[in-house]
Amino acid sequence: MISTCATAAAKLILFGEHAVVYDQPAIAIPLLDVRASAAISIDLSSATPVIEAKDLRMTLPITEARQPSLQHIVNAIELFEARAMPLPATGWRLTVWSKIPFSRGLGSSAAISIAILRALSASQKIHFSSEQFIELSFELEKFHHGTPSGLDNTVIAVERPIIFRKGQPPQNIEPKSFTFVVGDTGVGKKTSDVVSFVAANYHSNPGHAGKIFSEIGAIALAGRECLEQGKLKKLGELMTKNQDLLSELEVSSPELDTLIGAAKNAGALGAKLCGAGKGGCMVALTEDTKSAETVSRALLQAGALKTFITRLK
Ligand code: MEV
């Protein structure tokens, strides 16, 4: 076992959440400055490997780590052993920590999975292709989210802006320069609960929800064009249209609506929730860095727990 450390970025869905579960295209970008980390180190203190979840302030021998809060980490280790190679039975520790807020639509579970898979493979000198990282992290997403589209783990595995359709390899997109502000409502929501809520609505009225999904898919395709051609104003309008459709799906929330309204009043060109919704984060498009700072201050004043400014290019 070689001591090593690996990281993985958070993600931001610009267009297409929920509709992507129903085979529509979606666009996501990595948030390169907000990352989850996993480190392998030598530890001779226990007869078994040790798991340390820094954010939870928990350190346990792996044999005692089968509990809900650590299951995610144990699953990643077990999947690595099943698909790559068995790990030494003692003498090492896996430490995990993350700057990505949990259950806020920024892909924290997929980023933790990928950081662990990257650290374990580096410590064993195993090379995984990006397709293998996508495939393994998708298995782990299924443990946590039931029926994920694969969007979150794919954009995090490749760490570049993509347009994605379920079951297909991602396509790169080459965006021009844009500045976004992300605002965290501070309200955590489980992705699987919100996906199940949308599924129940879809099954009770497939015609209505299906029409919304198709409209969101068309917005994602138009969004790609705006990103690649640098059409700032139109991109903002599409984000707002996407938000209106997400509201029709009933996945927005009063907190999200407040932050989205505050961003627009402060000069954002468009804004929407990002991720599963019913809480979590929103994203606003701004004209430049100066206007992003104004929007960020407005979001904090309107009750955002935290904001990030992120630039494409
Ligand atoms: C969650 O980040 C995105 C959803 O579209 C679910 C999925 O794609 O699996 C809501």
Side-chain angles (χ1 to χ4, degrees), residues 11 13 16-21 105 107 145 147-152 191 195 275-277:
K11 61 85 196 178
I13 301 179
E17 48 275 272
H18 290 293
V20 69
V21 177
H145 298 317
T147 53
S149 65
L151 172 62
D152 293 10
T191 298
V195 169

Side-chain angles (χ1 to χ4, degrees), residues 4-7 35-41 50-59 69-70 72-74 76-77 92-99 102 108-109 111-117 119-120:
T4 183
C5 183
T7 67
R35 304 186 75 89
S37 306
I40 308 284
S41 54
V50 173
I51 305 287
E52 180 183 4
K54 264 195 176 172
D55 304 319
L56 302 176
R57 295 174 206 271
M58 288 175 84
T59 304
S69 47
L70 298 180
H72 190 145
I73 300 176
V74 176
I77 295 172
W92 58 278
R93 168 185 290 233
L94 170 63
T95 305
V96 177
W97 68 101
S98 179
K99 292 254 182 295
F102 222 67
S108 69
S109 69
I112 288 172
S113 298
I114 291 175
I116 294 174
L117 292 169
L120 289 174

Side-chain angles (χ1 to χ4, degrees), residues 79-95:
L79 185 72
F80 180 87
E81 290 199 296
R83 301 292 280 280
M85 64 188 291
L87 293 162
T90 184
W92 58 278
R93 168 185 290 233
L94 170 63
T95 305

Side-chain angles (χ1 to χ4, degrees), residues 12-162:
L12 197 57
I13 301 179
L14 292 183
F15 296 105
E17 48 275 272
H18 290 293
V20 69
V21 177
Y22 299 83
D23 300 320
Q24 295 294 332
I27 292 181
I29 61 172
L31 268 179
L32 296 171
D33 297 339
V34 189
R35 304 186 75 89
S37 306
I40 308 284
S41 54
I42 305 302
D43 184 339
L44 303 170
S45 69
S46 163
T48 67
V50 173
I51 305 287
E52 180 183 4
K54 264 195 176 172
D55 304 319
L56 302 176
R57 295 174 206 271
M58 288 175 84
T59 304
L60 285 174
I62 196 166
T63 41
E64 290 168 37
R66 276 174 205 290
Q67 46 178 285
S69 47
L70 298 180
Q71 193 59 45
H72 190 145
I73 300 176
V74 176
N75 286 343
I77 295 172
E78 288 182 348
L79 185 72
F80 180 87
E81 290 199 296
R83 301 292 280 280
M85 64 188 291
L87 293 162
T90 184
W92 58 278
R93 168 185 290 233
L94 170 63
T95 305
V96 177
W97 68 101
S98 179
K99 292 254 182 295
I100 309 172
F102 222 67
S103 296
R104 303 290 218 287
L106 298 181
S108 69
S109 69
I112 288 172
S113 298
I114 291 175
I116 294 174
L117 292 169
R118 284 181 179 153
L120 289 174
S121 54
S123 81
Q124 298 302 297
K125 294 193 175 169
I126 288 183
H127 172 77
F128 284 144
S129 64
S130 91
E131 290 74 19
Q132 283 171 305
F133 276 117
I134 291 173
E135 202 252 317
L136 291 174
S137 54
F138 187 53
E139 287 305 308
L140 294 169
E141 284 290 275
K142 286 195 246 173
F143 281 125
H144 308 301
H145 298 317
T147 53
S149 65
L151 172 62
D152 293 10
N153 62 295
T154 301
V155 67
I156 292 169
V158 300
E159 279 201 16
R160 45 173 203 257
I162 57 166

Side-chain angles (χ1 to χ4, degrees), residues 136-294:
L136 291 174
S137 54
F138 187 53
E139 287 305 308
L140 294 169
E141 284 290 275
K142 286 195 246 173
F143 281 125
H144 308 301
H145 298 317
T147 53
S149 65
L151 172 62
D152 293 10
N153 62 295
T154 301
V155 67
I156 292 169
V158 300
E159 279 201 16
R160 45 173 203 257
I162 57 166
I163 183 154
F164 174 89
R165 263 182 203 265
K166 202 166 93 176
Q168 296 181 17
Q171 282 178 34
N172 289 347
I173 57 178
E174 303 294 342
K176 298 273 193 266
S177 172
F178 292 98
T179 308
F180 299 98
V181 186
V182 179
D184 182 355
T185 61
V187 179
K189 275 287 165 216
K190 258 185 101 181
T191 298
S192 53
D193 290 348
V194 190
V195 169
S196 302
F197 168 83
V198 172
N201 280 351
Y202 174 69
H203 292 302
S204 71
N205 192 348
H208 177 67
K211 187 166 166 286
I212 296 177
F213 296 147
S214 309
E215 286 177 35
I216 292 177
I219 287 175
L221 295 178
R224 176 196 188 157
E225 212 178 286
C226 291
L227 283 164
E228 294 193 326
Q229 295 177 6
K231 293 183 182 162
L232 185 68
K233 193 161 164 275
K234 179 86 194 298
L235 188 70
E237 286 166 12
L238 289 173
M239 286 171 67
T240 297
K241 266 194 194 161
N242 194 156
Q243 171 62 19
D244 292 344
L245 293 164
L246 288 163
S247 292
E248 261 194 75
L249 285 176
E250 297 174 56
V251 294
S252 199
S253 72
E255 296 85 357
L256 283 164
D257 293 344
T258 300
L259 294 191
I260 289 166
K264 289 205 224 149
N265 286 338
L269 302 167
K272 62 180 274 295
L273 67 87
C274 54
K278 285 204 179 271
C281 290
M282 48 70 68
V283 55
L285 174 68
T286 60
E287 196 136 5
D288 50 28
T289 311
K290 191 159 174 278
S291 134
E293 280 158 9
T294 308

